[in-house]
Amino acid sequence: MKVQRLQILDDDGKLLNPDLEPNIPKETLIRALETMVQVRLLDEKGIRLQRQGKVTFHIFTKGQEAHVAAALALSDDDWVYPAYREHGIALFRGFSLEDLVNHLFANIKDKEKGRRLPGLFGSLKHNFVNPSAPIGTQIIQAAGTAYAMKMQKEEKVTAVFFGDGASSSNDFHSGLNFGGVTKSPVIFICQNNQWAISVPFRRQTAAENIVDRAKGYGIEGIQIDGNDFLAFYTAVKQARERALRGEGPTLIESITYRVTPHTSSDDPKAYRSEEEVKKWEQKDPIKRFKNYLIGKKYISEKDYEKMVERNSELLDELIDKAETLPKPGLSTLFDDVFETIPPYLLEEKEELLEFYKEA
Amino acid sequence: MVETNMVGAINMALREEMERDESVVVLGEDVGKDGGVFKVTAGLIDKFGPERILDTPLNESGIIGFAVGMALKGMRPVAEIQFIDFIWPAADQIISEAAKFRYRSGGEFTVPMVIRSPYGGGVKGAHYHSQSPESIFAHTAGIKIAVPSNPYEAKGLLLSAIRDPDPVLFMEPKRIYRAFTQEVPEGEYTIPLGEADVVREGSDVTLVSYGSMLHVTLDAALMAEEQHGISCEVINLRSIVPLDIETIGRSVTKTGRFISVSEAPRTAGFSAELSALVAERWIEYMESPIFRVTGYDTPFPMILESQYLPTPERVLAKIVESYNY
Ligand SMILES: Cc1ncc(C[n+]2csc(CCOP(=O)(O)OP(=O)(O)O)c2C)c(N)n1
Ligand SMILES: [Mg+2]
């Protein structure tokens, strides 16, 4: 099926179609750019920390920062289920960089108590759901959350992110099917970055596009240039309006590219060419969005450089601080298994504490 | 003979068996060009092509259900689940299907397939790259479970698993995938499923383990000898279904003391089964309580994983407690 792909900015950040330009306040746009810059910097510093053995793991976001647009198009009260490359949504909603850095270090201030791979975090306060690692599970959950919003008569929607690989999961089917049948206010956002570790998109489905599948579930679908901030914003905003009008879910297929390895554990040399990566680097979402803002005279190149520098320094300070903090104590192992610890678990806890006290 | 680690030994087993038997097919996520995220299937696609080394969509119930269908039709699929933590979407296909076909059809339809999957902690993989869910499958009638503890065993057990007429879950202790090398014979040899190995003889305490915990157990046995003069017999199960209970019996009737070591959570873990079996059969021989050293009944942590997992010191403490009882 041939589909139209929504694109508003060209690869250099010039307006392709001025009629489609959304009306977003200047300050909001600049804050969005700053969030994208922070996400990029976290990526650069995060992998370095992993290579130095200071954090256990790193998951990349580079090239997919346009997802921040969804945070602008949604209300802060809307729920977002991230996959694991959507840190920008949490940051834009006010999740602090300090909290995020402490999480990466899995130190005593990490809300996840040093239990999760760095990058797998959530925040109830920011309606940003704690992610799993099993791929796809969040897709059906998002449909359920959206249904709850409808039942509770709240003017809210739920948006859920997932990858092209996840579109093969059982829960993708369940999610789109349940969402469609219940006409729940849910937005399915597939970040089709062309790869699921080493498996190319072509091996996930024989369908030409992921968005083609919307029809089979009786829901709305739209494909966008996922590296185009304005297209991303526009698609999510329209999907949100439809959802709030009671018209049900939308599947947004965002065409993007994972320009990095899958995670710190991956080496893409085994399975893909450098040229392909280079080609996609031309479509860098930060470059395009920055150029758009420069074109509008909202910022200058110099402002941008300062923005990068300022955030880089800030992050370095936060990293230095986070590094010195101790790791969560032994007894936290048994916290949060249940609301109150049952006797058998208390016994295990005492056994462990006793053992390591002696040792 | 080839000096290789466990990854190399499994790769060798797959390669040789695919050469020998055209019905053997490998399928899973990233098993092709990438050679698997742990490189266990590295190079196989070059030799056998993308039809026999099938990179699948990201869907575990698909991988297993597809393999069940192939096995029913006379193929010998070896399905890879990238981490055993991601096996649950396939639970239905394993528990309700692969493990039930023979019985529900009166022996007419059979599913000779292998599910290979890395399991276990010790790699800072946190909740979902660390678990050890063998007891859930041991609780499922109709599927065998093998767990190698070294390269030599990995090859011999995998060949048995592929040739077995029934489904076999082959759990690979990823923590020791590359921890050490060993001489592994080229060509055919098998280690039967259901035969344990006494890896250290001793007279005071019987220790039973499998997979990566075997090494923790052996370290503890050595410490017990050196620091306390306690002589431990160590049994490596190699397969937990079927279980070689005779070898355990021969040992506990001699030592009168029994400790099993497994890294899974304590409650209803495979160690609980071992304790029960020993208690039922040989309680009158026992000179101390039947003990187990296990993980805790919490989700798998990250920062605290070395405290969560059994260590030689934790096993040693139990050995001493048992001995001095
Ligand atoms: C159920 C499940 N199977 C396998 C994995 C291992 N795994 C982690 S990420 C990944 C690829 C995901 O690809 P995609 O959904 O496209 O997301 P991307 O990483 O490209 O953003 C795989 C196979 C997993 N986490 N969960
Ligand atoms: Mg992908």
Side-chain angles (χ1 to χ4, degrees):
Chain A
M1 219 189 296
K2 190 84 193 126
V3 300
Q4 282 261 321
R5 184 180 304 174
L6 178 66
Q7 188 182 353
I8 300 176
L9 290 175
D10 73 8
D11 285 0
D12 292 319
K14 286 199 204 55
L15 278 174
L16 268 180
N17 193 342
D19 292 347
L20 296 179
E21 185 187 11
N23 185 10
I24 309 171
K26 175 181 161 185
E27 290 67 36
T28 312
L29 289 172
I30 294 175
R31 194 153 70 83
L33 179 67
E34 182 147 17
T35 305
M36 290 162 81
V37 163
Q38 289 171 340
V39 172
R40 174 78 49 101
L41 287 166
L42 274 165
D43 227 22
E44 289 166 6
K45 295 179 194 289
I47 185 65
R48 210 171 312 143
L49 291 168
Q50 193 277 337
R51 294 296 182 236
Q52 294 167 343
K54 292 179 177 173
V55 306
T56 54
F57 176 79
H58 183 74
I59 181 124
F60 297 91
T61 309
K62 188 174 176 190
Q64 298 184 201
E65 293 92 345
H67 73 263
V68 171
L72 278 68
L74 296 167
S75 146
D76 285 357
D77 294 332
D78 293 335
W79 277 40
V80 171
Y81 281 80
Y84 38 71
R85 305 190 201 271
E86 290 80 25
H87 302 4
I89 306 263
L91 291 175
F92 191 84
R93 287 183 168 186
F95 188 84
S96 78
L97 270 179
E98 181 172 358
D99 286 348
L100 185 42
V101 171
N102 284 327
H103 160 75
L104 298 182
F105 276 91
N107 67 26
I108 198 158
K109 285 195 171 167
D110 169 21
K111 245 165 22 64
E112 272 81 23
K113 302 188 188 174
R115 294 171 183 162
R116 302 301 308 277
L117 290 179
L120 297 178
F121 72 101
S123 172
L124 185 59
K125 190 173 146 206
H126 300 96
N127 300 314
F128 186 74
V129 181
N130 182 287
S132 188
I135 292 291
T137 53
Q138 75 276 26
I139 306 173
I140 177 66
Q141 295 165 1
T145 298
Y147 185 66
M149 288 170 165
K150 193 162 87 159
M151 287 185 74
Q152 293 162 349
K153 304 213 167 13
E154 293 181 356
E155 283 282 291
K156 294 179 186 170
V157 307
T158 301
V160 54
F161 285 85
F162 52 93
D164 43 306
S167 76
S168 294
S169 69
N170 293 0
D171 288 334
F172 170 85
H173 164 70
S174 307
L176 273 65
N177 200 31
F178 276 61
V181 166
T182 60
K183 265 194 182 275
S184 294
V186 52
I187 307 172
F188 301 106
I189 305 175
C190 181
Q191 285 281 42
N192 182 353
N193 63 5
Q194 315 303 321
W195 293 93
I197 311 184
S198 77
V199 181
F201 171 55
R202 273 286 131 255
R203 289 206 67 84
Q204 294 298 341
T205 169
E208 190 152 354
N209 306 286
I210 285 176
V211 72
D212 297 345
R213 300 167 75 182
K215 192 166 171 48
Y217 292 103
I219 67 174
E220 196 60 39
I222 180 173
Q223 189 180 71
I224 61 169
D225 176 340
N227 289 10
D228 175 350
F229 187 94
L230 299 185
F232 215 124
Y233 173 87
T234 303
V236 175
K237 192 158 173 63
Q238 284 171 359
R240 181 171 196 274
E241 282 160 7
R242 288 191 67 247
L244 289 180
R245 284 198 303 269
E247 291 168 26
T250 303
L251 170 63
I252 299 175
E253 180 183 13
S254 146
I255 304 296
T256 183
Y257 192 83
R258 198 195 77 215
V259 293
T260 61
H262 171 65
T263 66
S264 50
S265 315
D266 176 43
D267 179 5
K269 272 202 228 48
Y271 56 81
R272 74 179 185 190
S273 76
E274 269 301 305
E275 288 88 81
E276 187 181 296
V277 180
K278 290 244 158 61
K279 193 188 93 198
W280 276 89
E281 277 171 349
Q282 303 307 309
K283 298 180 192 288
D284 182 60
I286 294 189
K287 179 197 78 176
R288 289 165 71 181
F289 186 50
K290 176 197 75 177
N291 287 349
Y292 165 67
L293 296 186
I294 291 174
K296 287 186 81 73
K297 308 242 179 321
Y298 284 179
I299 60 163
S300 65
E301 189 69 47
K302 189 112 201 121
D303 293 336
Y304 175 73
E305 280 162 25
K306 274 198 236 144
M307 180 189 273
V308 173
E309 205 175 307
R310 188 171 67 243
N311 281 287
S312 179
E313 280 166 16
L314 170 64
L315 268 171
D316 287 342
E317 278 167 36
L318 294 173
I319 287 167
D320 287 347
K321 253 204 296 194
E323 210 179 331
T324 62
L325 291 176
K327 301 298 182 202
L330 205 48
S331 74
T332 65
L333 181 61
F334 297 90
D335 295 347
D336 313 311
V337 181
F338 299 106
E339 189 173 72
T340 39
I341 187 167
Y344 78 94
L345 208 51
L346 192 60
E347 207 177 284
E348 291 184 16
K349 176 175 174 174
E350 282 162 0
E351 174 196 302
L352 179 77
L353 292 179
E354 180 64 25
F355 182 81
Y356 282 100
K357 192 178 73 201
E358 285 168 11
Chain B
M1 288 286 184
V2 181
E3 182 76 22
T4 187
N5 59 25
M6 194 182 285
V7 169
I10 298 170
N11 185 279
M12 195 198 296
L14 291 170
R15 187 182 297 264
E16 289 177 8
E17 197 62 358
M18 290 186 75
E19 276 167 3
R20 196 190 67 85
D21 180 353
E22 283 198 343
S23 66
V24 177
V25 171
V26 165
L27 69 161
E29 294 156 11
D30 303 287
V31 297
K33 265 195 192 172
D34 194 38
V37 298
F38 291 101
K39 306 296 170 202
V40 172
T41 55
L44 297 183
I45 194 165
D46 301 327
K47 185 152 178 46
F48 301 105
E51 242 182 65
R52 289 184 73 193
I53 305 292
L54 181 66
D55 257 334
T56 68
L58 203 170
N59 184 309
E60 284 72 14
S61 71
I63 295 169
I64 302 302
F66 204 68
V68 168
M70 289 173 69
L72 287 167
K73 188 62 184 65
M75 303 296 279
R76 294 258 163 182
V78 179
E80 174 178 304
I81 298 294
Q82 196 165 87
F83 287 85
I84 206 162
D85 312 70
F86 304 137
I87 203 166
W88 306 118
D92 211 21
Q93 287 293 341
I94 300 170
I95 296 171
S96 310
E97 304 303 319
K100 300 290 188 287
F101 253 110
R102 180 185 292 281
Y103 197 80
R104 84 185 191 212
S105 67
E108 200 175 21
F109 291 88
T110 62
V111 185
M113 65 180 274
V114 175
I115 303 168
R116 290 182 38 244
S117 192
Y119 84 93
V123 299
K124 285 274 191 305
H127 294 342
Y128 301 110
H129 301 83
S130 304
Q131 298 169 80
S132 190
E134 64 276 19
S135 68
I136 293 172
F137 297 101
H139 193 68
T140 299
I143 183 162
K144 298 178 181 176
I145 306 172
V147 195
S149 69
N150 62 46
Y152 175 83
E153 257 170 38
K155 179 175 173 189
L157 286 170
L158 183 55
L159 291 182
S160 293
I162 298 174
R163 295 174 193 186
D164 199 275
D166 285 300
V168 180
L169 176 63
F170 188 80
M171 293 177 53
E172 301 173 2
K174 61 176 168 297
R175 178 186 188 172
I176 55 169
Y177 258 158
R178 297 172 185 279
F180 57 94
T181 60
Q182 208 178 18
E183 297 234 300
V184 177
E186 282 166 297
E188 204 40 72
Y189 71 94
T190 56
I191 297 173
L193 305 178
E195 274 186 26
D197 186 23
V198 179
V199 284
R200 182 186 168 102
E201 298 205 355
S203 51
D204 297 328
V205 183
T206 298
L207 307 177
V208 171
S209 192
Y210 48 94
S212 52
M213 282 298 118
L214 179 72
H215 301 277
V216 167
T217 307
L218 280 167
D219 288 351
L222 193 67
M223 288 156 74
E225 181 85 67
E226 286 173 354
Q227 299 171 18
H228 302 274
I230 303 172
S231 161
C232 294
E233 181 143 299
V234 179
I235 297 172
N236 171 17
L237 291 178
R238 302 199 293 202
S239 71
I240 64 175
V241 179
L243 179 71
D244 181 357
I245 191 70
E246 282 76 32
T247 297
I248 296 175
R250 270 194 300 278
S251 183
V252 291
T253 50
K254 176 174 74 177
T255 63
R257 295 184 181 85
F258 179 84
I259 302 169
S260 66
V261 183
S262 53
E263 61 182 282
R266 183 170 301 172
T267 299
F270 197 72
S271 277
E273 179 63 23
L274 291 169
S275 296
L277 286 167
V278 171
E280 274 171 2
R281 290 160 194 238
W282 300 293
I283 193 79
E284 70 275 19
Y285 290 88
M286 302 312 293
E287 291 174 35
S288 85
I290 294 160
F291 286 128
R292 57 193 152 145
V293 182
T294 64
Y296 293 99
D297 287 310
T298 72
F300 200 96
M302 182 177 70
I303 289 298
L304 292 170
E305 82 167 339
S306 32
Q307 286 84 4
Y308 172 92
L309 288 168
T311 56
E313 291 75 19
R314 260 174 69 195
V315 179
L316 178 66
K318 276 293 170 209
I319 295 172
V320 172
E321 186 180 344
S322 172
Y323 186 73
N324 293 336
Y325 187 81

